[in-house]
Amino acid sequence: ATIMEPLLKKEGLWHLFQNIEIPLIYVLAEMEWNGISLETHVLKEMSCWLTTKLQQLEKEIYTSAGHEFNIDSPRQLSEILFEKLELPRLRKTKTGSSTDANVLSTLAWRHALPKLVLEYRQLTKLKNTYVDALPGMINPGTDRVHTSFNQTVTATGRLSSSEPNLQNIPIRTDAGRQIRCAFILSEKDSVFLSADYSQIELRILAHFSEDAALITAFQQDKDIHSVVASAIYNVPTERVTSEMRRNAKAVNFGIIYGLSEFGLSRDTGLTLEESREFINAYFSLYHGVKRYRDEVIEEAKACGYVQTLFNRKRSVPDIRSGDKKRRNLAERIAINTIIQGTAADLIKVAMNNIHAKLKKSEYGAKMILQIHDELLFEVKENKLASTRSMIQEEMSHAVVLNVPIKVNIKTGKNWLEAE
């Protein structure tokens, strides 16, 4: 303490350390202790279903490729994609051409094979990592799975979860949703309550950039992706198609992650030229965001680090690099760290405050999981109304931003129903 305390104070990190990270240790310990129950027969059925599905996919892949090969071998796959099918080689690796998820999803617009391989990989991963592994992770003493939450793993200040990692079960795929069905209540007369921050990172972007158009959209509780789509395509909101909205969404989130025109065309199927125009249109409409990005990069160049709303710091030495590729990556990291790191700090503040409330009074609820922008609780049914409004209150007022903070709450009898 004698060594660290003055250093933390000097760096302006004492508040973050003392009032956010240290109290959080007790919150996380309790969440790990609580654990979560599983319905193993659901996973057994899923395992059988996945085996059949994967065999079917295998056949489709062989048909699409024209012959059998080892799908798990990147070398054999790249021979088929780039030599036999003559698809464009997008990225080199030490041993040949890359076949990672980014490459495959870009190529998926051109041919059926990459799409099938992506699906095959996703399902194999789900089966091995979750469906077949989870039952073996149940603690025989408690009959529950107890994940570990790590406070010092990520570079942005987010929590990570391990053994098992419960933060990256996909929600957009059927298989991922089925896995969530297997997470069930450990006590009867309870319900799952899931509370998640709605578009928190875009709200934080609006707060920091002080962009008038973004702030207005959030203050009026508009659908931000439709608003941006209507501005870029220059059509009234009611004429925004789902494709327009999807492209606007890719740009909205892309801006936070420092998306390039390459990334945008990969995510949307737009050409490079269209992607460039799209990004330029966004910046001319939301010039506050453009100005903010430029300021962040300038400041990071000057001092070598960036910091979140709560002063969490991350150094970005490559932002001064002469190598354009490294510099671009550092610029993306700079913006993303401030936005994502602030969101991470915010939910930690909310977790501490909710935990204190749960301890003090008669709510009858347990905090079970944190999945980045979402908290999952097990709540006694007879205490649901009061607990729900307390959680809503604490999450939306954990910090005051220039825009309202919106929290969505759902309840259900398993994790999926509460999504």
Side-chain angles (χ1 to χ4, degrees):
T2 48
I3 297 172
M4 288 303 184
E5 189 171 326
L7 282 174
L8 286 166
K9 285 183 170 160
K10 179 170 160 269
E11 290 290 336
L13 297 168
W14 184 248
H15 170 81
L16 174 72
F17 175 75
Q18 192 64 5
N19 300 353
I20 299 179
E21 294 295 348
I22 295 294
L24 193 70
I25 295 171
Y26 301 93
V27 182
L28 296 177
E30 200 166 299
M31 289 164 74
E32 292 177 10
W33 180 264
N34 287 337
I36 188 163
S37 293
L38 275 178
E39 213 158 16
T40 45
H41 73 265
V42 174
L43 294 170
K44 284 221 171 64
E45 284 163 27
M46 241 194 115
S47 189
C48 300
W49 171 77
L50 278 170
T51 305
T52 319
K53 177 77 180 147
L54 284 165
Q55 285 164 345
Q56 193 187 325
L57 267 174
E58 227 168 69
K59 287 200 185 86
E60 288 178 37
I61 287 170
Y62 296 152
T63 311
S64 178
H67 59 82
E68 293 195 8
F69 67 102
N70 176 1
I71 305 170
D72 297 317
S73 154
R75 197 177 55 81
Q76 290 183 29
L77 177 62
S78 86
E79 268 172 28
I80 291 171
L81 290 174
F82 306 120
E83 286 166 31
K84 187 177 174 194
L85 298 174
E86 297 183 343
L87 291 168
R89 295 172 190 268
L90 298 173
R91 215 169 58 248
K92 295 271 187 289
T93 62
K94 287 194 181 76
T95 51
S97 296
S98 170
T99 59
D100 70 7
N102 279 341
V103 169
L104 293 180
S105 51
T106 310
L107 297 174
W109 299 93
R110 294 166 176 265
H111 194 278
L113 182 62
K115 197 170 181 176
L116 291 168
V117 173
L118 266 179
E119 194 181 347
Y120 176 86
R121 281 188 190 170
Q122 282 161 350
L123 294 183
T124 309
K125 184 172 183 213
L126 279 183
K127 185 174 185 300
N128 298 342
T129 317
Y130 295 111
V131 181
D132 295 346
L134 280 172
M137 292 180 159
I138 294 172
N139 180 311
T142 63
D143 221 14
R144 296 177 204 167
V145 173
H146 302 267
T147 182
S148 296
F149 288 104
N150 316 301
Q151 267 169 291
T152 54
V153 168
T154 70
T156 54
R158 274 182 160 192
L159 293 174
S160 76
S161 148
S162 51
E163 289 184 17
N165 178 352
L166 297 179
Q167 289 183 327
N168 71 348
I169 301 175
I171 182 69
R172 286 184 181 69
T173 63
D174 273 344
R177 285 197 282 270
Q178 289 301 312
I179 292 173
R180 291 187 181 215
C181 264
F183 287 85
I184 53 164
L185 293 153
S186 49
E187 290 169 22
K188 52 180 190 298
D189 311 327
S190 300
V191 288
F192 276 128
L193 181 151
S194 149
D196 78 287
Y197 281 118
S198 165
Q199 298 169 337
I200 189 65
E201 296 189 344
L202 287 171
R203 289 169 196 267
I204 289 168
L205 177 67
H207 170 82
F208 277 125
S209 67
E210 297 178 351
D211 182 280
L214 272 192
I215 288 179
T216 306
F218 281 125
Q219 279 172 344
Q220 296 174 355
D221 199 19
K222 294 264 174 59
D223 168 14
I224 193 73
H225 304 312
S226 296
V227 169
V228 170
S230 117
I232 287 180
Y233 287 105
N234 201 9
V235 297
T237 329
E238 55 277 8
R239 300 239 324 268
V240 168
T241 65
S242 60
E243 192 192 349
M244 289 176 182
R245 185 179 183 277
R246 199 172 55 241
N247 290 344
K249 185 174 179 176
V251 171
N252 271 335
F253 287 119
I255 298 297
I256 303 171
Y257 302 121
L259 194 63
S260 61
E261 53 229 32
F262 296 105
L264 184 59
S265 79
R266 179 192 70 224
D267 296 346
T268 55
L270 295 168
T271 65
L272 276 181
E273 189 50 43
E274 288 168 332
S275 300
R276 192 173 305 130
E277 282 172 15
F278 212 100
I279 291 173
N280 291 339
Y282 178 95
F283 279 139
S284 63
L285 289 161
Y286 300 94
H287 36 87
V289 176
K290 174 89 175 86
R291 192 193 59 238
Y292 172 66
R293 273 197 61 168
D294 296 342
E295 281 169 9
V296 166
I297 291 164
E298 280 315 302
E299 203 170 316
K301 276 184 182 149
C303 61
Y305 65 84
V306 289
Q307 60 188 43
T308 67
L309 190 62
F310 293 85
N311 284 1
R312 185 185 302 277
K313 292 183 178 179
R314 179 180 186 182
S315 69
V316 276
D318 277 355
I319 205 149
R320 303 171 179 147
S321 166
D323 177 345
K324 187 165 181 240
K325 208 168 169 187
R326 289 174 69 166
R327 192 172 64 245
N328 282 345
L329 178 62
E331 290 175 358
R332 289 206 292 277
I333 285 174
I335 307 282
N336 182 27
T337 296
I338 297 174
I339 306 290
Q340 197 185 88
T342 297
D345 293 342
L346 171 74
I347 197 163
K348 285 177 175 177
V349 171
M351 287 165 79
N352 284 333
N353 295 350
I354 291 169
H355 184 256
K357 281 269 167 79
L358 291 178
K359 277 277 153 290
K360 264 211 288 279
S361 44
E362 287 301 300
Y363 284 108
K366 293 190 295 195
M367 206 182 299
I368 305 285
L369 292 179
Q370 187 252 47
I371 309 94
H372 304 312
D373 299 338
E374 168 195 359
L375 292 175
L376 188 69
F377 300 85
E378 236 180 86
V379 186
K380 286 266 179 278
E381 268 173 352
N382 59 357
K383 298 278 166 62
L384 182 58
S386 60
T387 308
R388 187 191 181 116
S389 63
M390 181 273 287
I391 290 169
Q392 176 88 45
E393 181 66 23
E394 291 301 338
M395 283 178 74
S396 48
H397 295 96
V399 63
V400 178
L401 300 179
N402 295 337
V403 290
I405 295 177
K406 192 174 172 187
V407 177
N408 297 324
I409 293 188
K410 297 199 181 103
T411 54
K413 280 294 183 186
N414 60 44
W415 185 8
L416 179 69
E417 282 182 10
E419 276 306 318

